[in-house]
Structure formats: C-alpha cells, structure tokens
Amino acid sequence: MEPISPKQTGMAAEGLLLGTVTDDLADLGKYGLKKVYQVLSESLNQLDAQVYAKTIEQAVITVGSKVIVFSHNQTGKAVAPMVAAGLKAGIVTGVIALPDTTKGFVVKKSVFSGKAFANVNISSDIKVISLNPNSYKVISGEGIAEVNQLNIPVEAGKVKVTGVNKVRGEVPLTEAEIVVSGGRGLKGPENWRILEELAHSLHAATACSRPVADSAWRPHHEHVGQTGIQIAPNLYIALGISGAIQHLAGVNRSKTIVVINKDPEAPFFKAADYGIVGDVFEIVPKLTEEIRKLRNS
Ligand SMILES: Cc1cc2nc3c(=O)[nH]c(=O)nc-3n(C[C@H](O)[C@H](O)[C@H](O)COP(=O)(O)OP(=O)(O)OC[C@H]3O[C@@H](n4cnc5c(N)ncnc54)[C@H](O)[C@@H]3O)c2cc1C
C-alpha cells in the first residue's frame, strides 16, 4: 500500500511529539512529514492518557489539524477516544486501508473478529482514526521536516509510574516480520524451548494463545487475538493452536499462515496457507534443524 499522499487527501502530513526525545526530529521528513511540532513538559515524559489527550486536543486546536492519525497500539487505544470526545470528532479505530476521499472520508476496518469489512464514512469536521500496526510499509525517501516548539499549557499528571519492567532482547511482536506462536497443544511452559529454538532460527518474535497467557505459561504481552495484540506479520506459524475465532481475529491479516496441529479437523487449517497435520513435538525440532542447515549452507 502507498502512504497517504497529499495528492489523495489534499492535505500535508505533520507530526506531533510529546515530551523529550533525543532523536533528530527533522529526520522525520524522510518519511513524508513536512512539519513536526513538539510539546515539552515533564508531565509528558511518562504516559498519562488524560494528560496526553488534553495536550493533543490543545495542539490540534492551535495548529488547525483536521485529521488526527494514531497508531492502534496500547497508547493509541487509550488516548484516541479521549481526544475524539474532547474535540467532538468522529472516530474509527483499527483502520486497515487508506481513506477514500472521493466521496466524503471513508475508512476501512475489519469487523466481527475479522469475518467482514466495514467502510465507514466520518462526516465530522475533525476526524480521528487509529491505524492497525503493519497495515502500511514504512517508505523512506528524501526530506527534512521543519521542527516547531508548541507552547501550550500542559496539565500536571494524576498518574505516577512507580516501576518499569522492560522486555529486553526480543523481537517486538507488533513489528516482527515472522511470528512463531504456541497454544495449549504445547502442553506446558517447560516445552516452550522447541518453539523458542524455531523462532530463534527464523529471527522471529514469539506469541501465544490466550489460555496459554492466562495459565501463566507465557507473559501476557505475547497473547494475540481479539482480546490481545493484533498483528499482521509476513509469516505466522501456529503450533498446537486450535484456531478459535477469537484467536484468528488477532492474526488473520498475516500474509502467510502456517499451521501445525495433530487434529486434521482443527479450524485453523481453514485459515491456513500451509498446514501440517502432526505432532508439534516431532515436527518442530526437525523443522528447526532444517532451517539451521539452510541458513548455514
Ligand atoms: C470473549 C473471548 C475472547 C477471547 N480472546 C482470545 C484471544 O484474544 N486470543 C486467543 O487465543 N483466544 C481467545 N479466546 C479463547 C478462544 O476461544 C480459545 O479458547 C483459545 O484460543 C484456544 O487456545 P488454544 O488453541 O491454545 O487451545 P485449545 O483450544 O485447547 O487447542 C489446542 C490445540 O492443540 C492441538 N494439539 C494438542 N496436542 C498437540 C500436539 N502434540 N501437536 C500438535 N497439535 C496439538 C489440538 O488439536 C488443539 O487444536 C477468547 C475467548 C472468549 C470467549
């Protein structure tokens, strides 16, 4: 998919940064931004959805923006609806395609756990959308963005972060090209080594079904599905996952799905591009070995 271009919407893309960052903001011009606005305040250096929302509202009013685009990640999910409410703007979340501006402002999203698509027209003056991660490829080119500081009042936060537990050394799930995911078919957390070895051989991120996270076999940040993270990698490999509709809702935008399950009737096979009927404990180590051989050859 192409990035939103001024040719299609008649608008220029501008960015808003909240809080202190060390990166060179002018560099964002490479990704199509003409201007970048920054609001500096101690209260913005940690996420407080209410403070973020109020600051974004003020910035939108000051700059006169008409379409506010969020990422449909945890922050976007928390902040975008508050901004829309504050600005009395129409909002569509989890958008997956470019807006069609030929008749109004129509955006596409998947509904009913990925069973159908809805095209929704936003008719309010200001429009808020949140884009599903990985819906677009990042395209970089030439360009330098103009950086402006916005002097707007920022409220003191009511939330205090008392500790941060950072996940280190893993490929972030929402950005991964390849994801290897495990379900209850792996029988217990002690068996995750075979999944991790496969993931390692493919430089892939690891994910899991909800019952796996609920049973504390894996951390909750790996849970994908309707109530977990929604991902769209190039390759999703499902090991011992039945393929319930709530699971598929989080992964059915993957470009290629490979399913390994010992039950030939498992519903996941209907959504799969490639399927292997068999025991994960036999197949996965062999697969990992073959991938390692290929990589080393
Ligand atoms: C409101 C709601 C929201 C939900 N949200 C989510 C969500 O976000 N994400 C999610 O994942 N689920 C979600 N669920 C739960 C969902 O309905 C399923 O119960 C869940 O996805 C099943 O997980 P599973 O496939 O790991 O386990 P199971 O359904 O138990 O399936 C295990 C699979 O492993 C296979 N298997 C067993 N042994 C082997 C072996 N040795 N080799 C190969 N295959 C084997 C079996 O054939 C089976 O297909 C939600 C449910 C509800 C009601």
Side-chain angles (χ1 to χ4, degrees):
M1 271 180 261
E2 294 298 312
I4 294 182
S5 78
K7 277 185 210 143
Q8 193 185 350
T9 60
M11 298 175 203
E14 299 181 342
L16 174 66
L17 269 121
L18 304 183
T20 314
V21 284
T22 49
D23 307 86
D24 181 5
L25 300 184
D27 237 26
L28 291 168
K30 281 188 197 155
Y31 306 102
L33 295 188
K34 299 282 173 232
K35 285 185 189 171
V36 177
Y37 296 98
Q38 185 174 29
V39 186
L40 285 169
S41 163
E42 200 48 49
S43 313
L44 297 170
N45 287 342
Q46 63 167 51
L47 174 63
D48 180 324
Q50 282 173 327
V51 177
Y52 271 38
K54 282 265 178 274
T55 311
I56 294 168
E57 275 173 55
Q58 289 299 316
V60 167
I61 293 165
T62 309
V63 175
S65 316
K66 291 295 177 195
V67 181
I68 329 299
V69 183
F70 287 88
S71 175
H72 195 57
N73 55 18
Q74 300 301 340
T75 307
K77 284 178 196 173
V79 179
M82 289 191 202
V83 171
L87 294 167
K88 301 205 175 355
I91 176 170
V92 178
T93 57
V95 169
I96 54 170
L98 277 175
D100 179 354
T101 51
T102 50
K103 281 187 203 141
F105 189 95
V106 179
V107 286
K108 185 176 181 180
K109 67 174 288 177
S110 71
V111 289
F112 300 121
S113 300
K115 287 273 179 213
F117 295 109
N119 293 312
V120 188
N121 184 32
I122 311 180
S123 57
S124 54
D125 180 34
I126 299 178
K127 301 158 181 50
V128 177
I129 60 174
S130 68
L131 276 182
N132 260 355
N134 268 359
S135 293
Y136 298 92
K137 253 192 174 166
V138 176
I139 299 175
S140 62
E142 299 290 312
I144 297 169
E146 181 188 314
V147 181
N148 300 292
Q149 301 298 322
L150 272 186
N151 290 317
I152 50 179
V154 178
E155 285 184 4
K158 296 189 185 97
V159 174
K160 190 165 178 264
V161 177
T162 54
V164 175
N165 216 341
K166 276 205 171 166
V167 180
R168 289 180 203 278
E170 295 169 27
V171 183
L173 196 47
T174 48
E175 288 159 34
E177 299 268 321
I178 305 175
V179 174
V180 182
S181 188
R184 266 201 297 227
L186 274 129
K187 315 286 186 224
E190 66 283 4
N191 296 324
W192 240 260
R193 195 178 45 83
I194 60 163
L195 183 151
E196 282 171 335
E197 284 179 353
L198 176 60
H200 189 69
S201 73
L202 291 164
H203 305 306
T206 53
C208 67
S209 67
R210 176 171 154 172
V212 163
D214 285 349
S215 312
W217 294 1
R218 296 298 289 178
H220 263 289
H221 66 253
E222 286 197 359
H223 154 205
V224 288
Q226 185 184 319
T227 45
I229 298 174
Q230 275 135 46
I231 54 172
N234 286 334
L235 175 61
Y236 183 75
I237 305 177
L239 311 178
I241 303 176
S242 57
I245 186 170
Q246 297 89 355
H247 185 84
L248 290 177
V251 302
N252 58 8
R253 286 186 311 111
S254 307
K255 312 290 178 290
T256 303
I257 296 179
V258 175
V259 170
I260 306 176
N261 195 308
K262 68 176 186 185
D263 173 10
E265 300 299 322
F268 221 150
F269 283 120
K270 291 203 178 87
D273 297 282
Y274 300 95
I276 303 173
V277 178
D279 189 329
V280 285
F281 298 105
E282 279 175 32
I283 294 164
V284 175
K286 285 185 189 156
L287 194 59
T288 308
E289 201 184 311
E290 289 305 316
I291 290 164
R292 281 185 185 145
K293 274 190 210 158
L294 265 176
R295 287 218 182 259
N296 294 333
S297 63

